Structure formats: structure tokens, C-alpha cells
Amino acid sequence: QLLGFFLLLPWLLLPLKCSMGLCRLPVYDGVTQTEIPRAPHTPRHAHPEGPGGPHTHSRAFPVLTFQFETVRRPFEISLWILLASLLKLGFHVIPHFSSVVPESCVLIVVGLLVGALIKLLGETLPVLDTQLFFLVLLPPIILDAGYFLPIRSFSENMGTILVFAVMGTVWNSFFMGVVLYGVCVVEGSELAGVGLLACLLFSSIASAVDPVAVLAVFEEIHIHELLHILVFGESLLNDAVTVVLYHLFEEFATLGEVTVIDVFLGVLCFFVVALGGILVGTVFGLLAAFTSRFTSHTRVIEPLFVFLYSYMAYLSAEVFHLSGIMALIACGVVMRPYVEANISHKSYTTIKYFLKMWSSVSETLIFIFLGASTVAGPHAWNWTFVIATIILCLVSRVFGVVGLTYILNKFRMVKITGKDQFILAYGGLRGAIAFSLAFLLSSKHFPMKNMFLTAIITVVFFTVFVQGMTIRPLVDLLAVKKKKQTKFTINEEIHTEFLQHVLGGIEAVCGHYGHHHWRDKLDRFNKDYLKRWLIAGARSQEPQLISFYNKLELQQALRVAERGSEARLTPALPSAASLLAASQKRSRTMTKISKEREEEIRKILRGNLQKTRQRLRSYSRHKLVLEGEEDSWTEAKLWRQKVEIGRRVSLRINISIEDYI
């Protein structure tokens, strides 16, 4: 199969020869005919001089012509996507190959081969253009990650993720930049022109963990959820820090001097970029949720609103130089619960699989273009600078993770073990974002741009190939806990939710406003205000238990669609279709209840069958009952309870049993 794959590769690359203009034009009577370019729908026999001109029949009617320039751009795009899809298919078809070599490594090697072939043909190599990467290839990957982000584990570890993303990135940038400047001063000669600000700018590019590379590697090794969310969350949230440090050092290096006001404005810029991106994403997420409320009659365009509003959030953030990645994550997280409550099951399936397909193709194209761009160059190799960069990337990452984890473990209930710290430090992969930021540097202000670009490419290759290929054996060797393949049962879900309420009650009794307290506040605000405006129909008012049942029913329907057979499923609860059929069968022998009576019964059931945790009177030592008043207070309390029980009993007795027969 491997031999067949490589035999098939030249045939896949053959159309590239035509896409670069190397195919010959049609030949008539031994002479190459050069035709005048025309519009795609212009008749092939049309002549510039008109039908009545003297040269209308100067040559034979062309039966077959070659007009590649009219379709060159869409043909090349389709060809690249087809190549990426076939490579991904071949990677997973070859047995035991995907368990040894990460997919990103294979794609980069294919990109190197394609780039070398194009260079041998003497044509211009395709380069991972910055506009192509940031505006076309990156948004689908981030949207897929943000839309399906595990909210519970992400919110529970938000503090740890922010510390790694902000403090870790700042530490890596300054430690690496200062030490690298010292190396340049000691080396002299070729590195004498590299200043401190240039080294800090380079280190801000090289120190950021790349979300694309992390997703490509960590989804294959299946580590446990805590470790995965820490590394992946850091790679997502350090975008704001990287963008601010990049523009800050670039501006300082251009001006040549730094003042205290510039430093203060740089710190302020970080909050503006991060919080501004979150605000933009939140606004567009709420707009998407509100729009989905009115799509019940046009189900076919429901997925389109999700994609358009998300992309508009990304572009709007980029217009003001805010964090587009933060905007996409915020948009996906905000709109998902409301959109899924409004759209149909088919639209949900479309959104899920289209996002997965889109992000997978974009990820494949990024690594292929990265390999081809490496061949394109130009490169300026310096052994001292490159080796120092690789060593400092590893050392700064290890020191940052160990130091920050030592502080964080003093405040965490679930400690980060030594094995997890090693995987956190070893899993800091770099990728195409660092390459694109280095490619954006101006050659006028940074004469050492080619050396920076070469060093960045070397770091990317080292992290993807060396660390990416060895992290799986290290996880197995250290016996790091793996991710559970089985999903939670209904019993586990209910008890987890029950414990959340218990912990929230404990925080309320103790007077400690912790994570569970604010989570309860947010749930109440969501239920009282947001759901009323963003969810259509009666689903905005339905109890939490019914909402959870609807979610389970949706997951069951998706499993039926994926497996193609309903016989393999043994649901613990009856489906909505079976309940509807049973109710229709019973309704033939039952008297219909009026709408008013049915609504009254529903209110009684909703008010008595499910009671969420209400605000209770807090304990205070100033409101204790005196010893002499204790008996009267107890009697009054018992009397109120007796009156309340009598009221409820009388209310239920008033419902005649004939209404149910």
C-alpha cells in the first residue's frame, strides 16, 4: 500500500505542470497556434473583425482548444484541496503508520517534495502567504476548536490557563530574548548587528505555542482531559500576548528608543487587544443566537448564519488589530447553547461535520504549504543562532512550566503532577503562526529577517518532528493517564450536577464567593434574561431536566445516523417518537383535556416536581433566637408549615380525577 501511494503521487502532481503554464498549446499543421484570450463563454469561432470580415474562414473550425488561463485559479485551488484530501486518506489507510509518525510530519514532508519538484521545473514556488494563512486557513481551525470547546473543564481551569498563557509567554519572551542577545554579543562578527529589541521581537515570535500544531499532535495521543485543556487553552489564549509583544517590539525597534509611557501603553494595549477581541466575539455570538430564533421556516440556511457571524467576528476584530482568535473562541462559546436549542437536528449535524471537514482540510494545507515555503526560501543559516534558539526554547519552557506550576499547586485542589509538568513543557509546539509573523517582518527595518525566518522554520521542524514523534512513546513510558473513551452515563451526569449545586450551597453558607457561586449567578442570569430573548418557543422556559433529556435524545439520534442502524442502540430512555406513538394510542380511548386545564396542570407539575436551589436566609449571629422565645418561634414555624402543606393538598384534590380519564 505504501508503494502504491508513492506511485500514485506523481500522477497527482502531474496537473501542477499544467497549472504552472508548462503544457503546450494546440498545434495545427506543425505550427503552434497562439490564440487571443477570450471570455469563458465567448464562441470559439468568433473573430475580432465580425462575421462579415474578410478573414472569417481563414482556418478550420477548432474541434478542441486549450483555454487553461480562464480557469487557472479555481483549478489550482481545487487541485491543492484534492491533494490534501488524498494525502490524509492515504495516511490513515496505511496500517500502523499513523501510530508511529504524526500526520503533521508526513504533510510537511509532502510539502517539501512538492516544493522540490516545482523548483526543479524552474517555476515559482507557492509560499504560505500571510493573508492566505490568517484570513482563509486559520479561522476554520479556531472556530472548530472554540465551538466544540469543553466549557466545564475550560472554565474550571481558567485561572491556570491564563497564568500559563500570559505569564508563561511573557517569561519565555524576555528570558529567551535577553539570553539570545547575550549570545549575539559574545559571538560578534555575523551577529554583531542584532540588537536587544530585535532579539526580543524574535523571541516573542518563537515563544508562542501554536494551536494548530498542538491540535494535530495532542488529538492523536489521547492524554487525559486536564492536561489537554491546559496545553490547548494556553495555545489559544496566548494569541493576545503574542500579538501585543510582536507589535510592541516591532514599533520599539523601528523607533529606536523606549520611554516609560510606551511601556505603560504597551501593557494597556494587551488588555485592549484581549478584552476587545472577547467583546467583539460576544456581540456577534449573541447576534447569531438571536438570528437563529427566527429560522424555523427556513432550516436550510441555519448553518450559514453560524459560519458567517463567526467569520465576521474574526474579520471585525482584525480590522481594529484586536485578537481575532479570541473573537472566534468567544463567538463560538457564546452562540452554541442558544443556536443548538433553536436549529433542527439536521442543521446541527451539518454544522458539526462541515466544521470538522473544513478545519481538517485547512490544517492539511497549512502543513503542506509550510513544507513548500521552506524550499522557496530565502535562507540565511547561522549555526550559533539556530542552535541557541532551539536550546533556549526548551530551557525557557521548562523553567516557566516548573516555576509557575510550583506556585499554582499551592492554590489548586487537583495538583499538577511531575509527569504532567513534563508533558506540558515538552508539548509546547510551534507552527505556522510563528512562521507567518516572521514572514511579516520588513526587510528594510530588519536586515536579519532571512536569518530569523530560517531559525523559526528550524524550531518548527524540531518541535513537530522531534517532539511530536517522541511525545507518544514518552506518554506510554511515563504511564501518563489517558483520556476516557467511554462517555458519562445519565447517573454520572446527574450526580455531577448535584455535586455542583452542593458545592455552591457550601460556598453560600460559608460566605465564600468562589467558582461555584459565580457559576450559579451566571446560570440564573442566563435563565432569567438571555434564554427569554435568544431561544424561541417554550424551550426557553423548560426545566433543566427536560433540557438535559432533549440533549440526550439529540445525541442518540446522531448515533443512529452514524451507525446506520437502530438495532445496535439500547436506549435507557424511550425516544420522543415512541412516546408520541404511545400517547396517540392512549388518546383514542381518553377524553381530551382543554387547553386551559392542560396549561394549569403543566404549571402545577413544573412548580412542584422540580425545585432548583433558591436563595436562603443567610446565617447571622445577630439574629439568633433567645431562649425564652424559642418555643413560640418553633410553634409559629410549625403552624406556617402546616398551612402550606394544607394549601398544597387542597390544590391537588381540586384537580378532579375525571380530567385524566
Side-chain angles (χ1 to χ4, degrees), residues 359-498:
S359 62
S360 178
V361 172
S362 297
E363 178 186 313
T364 305
L365 289 175
I366 285 173
F367 286 113
I368 292 178
F369 277 122
L370 187 60
S373 301
T374 304
V375 181
H379 300 292
W381 185 267
N382 186 287
W383 281 100
T384 304
F385 191 82
V386 171
I387 294 176
T389 300
I390 296 175
I391 295 175
L392 288 175
C393 281
L394 295 174
V395 172
S396 62
R397 178 73 181 175
V398 171
F399 285 171
V401 169
V402 173
L404 293 176
T405 306
Y406 176 77
I407 299 174
L408 289 171
N409 278 340
K410 296 181 179 296
F411 304 95
R412 287 181 56 90
M413 295 181 61
V414 181
K415 310 298 182 184
I416 303 176
T417 63
K419 296 179 181 179
D420 293 343
Q421 294 178 38
F422 177 79
I423 299 300
L424 278 173
Y426 201 73
L429 307 179
R430 277 67 169 180
I433 291 182
F435 174 82
S436 299
L437 290 177
F439 192 78
L440 278 174
L441 293 176
S442 173
S443 302
K444 179 180 178 181
H445 298 98
F446 300 97
M448 68 293 297
K449 173 185 174 180
N450 293 337
M451 184 179 68
F452 285 176
L453 197 60
T454 304
I456 289 293
I457 291 176
T458 308
V459 170
V460 172
F461 279 26
F462 178 84
T463 56
V464 172
F465 280 89
V466 179
Q467 296 178 217
M469 292 180 65
T470 56
I471 193 170
R472 185 196 294 269
L474 288 174
V475 167
D476 296 334
L477 180 64
L478 297 175
V480 178
K481 188 169 63 173
K482 296 292 188 70
K483 181 181 179 181
K484 289 184 178 180
Q485 298 296 332
T486 58
K487 297 182 179 180
F488 285 138
T489 62
I490 299 178
N491 191 17
E492 291 174 337
E493 289 282 355
I494 293 175
H495 279 79
T496 302
E497 195 67 25
F498 170 74

Side-chain angles (χ1 to χ4, degrees), residues 90-155:
F91 174 78
H92 292 283
V93 166
I94 301 175
H96 307 296
F97 188 67
S98 58
S99 60
V100 178
V101 182
E103 183 180 351
S104 54
C105 300
V106 178
L107 296 176
I108 291 178
V109 170
V110 172
L112 292 171
L113 295 176
V114 173
L117 179 62
I118 296 176
K119 192 170 185 178
L120 289 176
L121 296 175
E123 292 299 320
T124 304
L125 286 166
V127 182
L128 186 60
D129 183 67
T130 303
Q131 297 291 326
L132 173 67
F133 174 73
F134 282 107
L135 299 182
V136 179
L137 298 179
L138 183 61
I141 301 174
I142 304 301
L143 177 59
D144 176 59
Y147 192 82
F148 297 104
L149 188 70
I151 302 298
R152 178 179 296 175
S153 58
F154 185 80
S155 59

Side-chain angles (χ1 to χ4, degrees), residues 588-627:
R588 297 172 184 173
T589 58
M590 293 171 56
T591 306
K592 291 186 177 180
I593 304 175
S594 62
K595 294 293 184 180
E596 294 78 9
R597 196 61 172 170
E598 182 180 354
E599 186 63 26
E600 183 180 355
I601 295 172
R602 288 181 181 275
K603 288 182 179 179
I604 295 173
L605 292 177
R606 287 178 179 174
N608 294 278
L609 289 183
Q610 184 185 17
K611 285 286 186 179
T612 56
R613 186 172 65 87
Q614 302 296 328
R615 182 183 296 276
L616 301 177
R617 187 181 299 276
S618 60
Y619 171 81
S620 175
R621 62 187 178 89
H622 301 289
K623 296 180 181 180
L624 293 177
V625 181
L626 299 178
E627 294 182 0

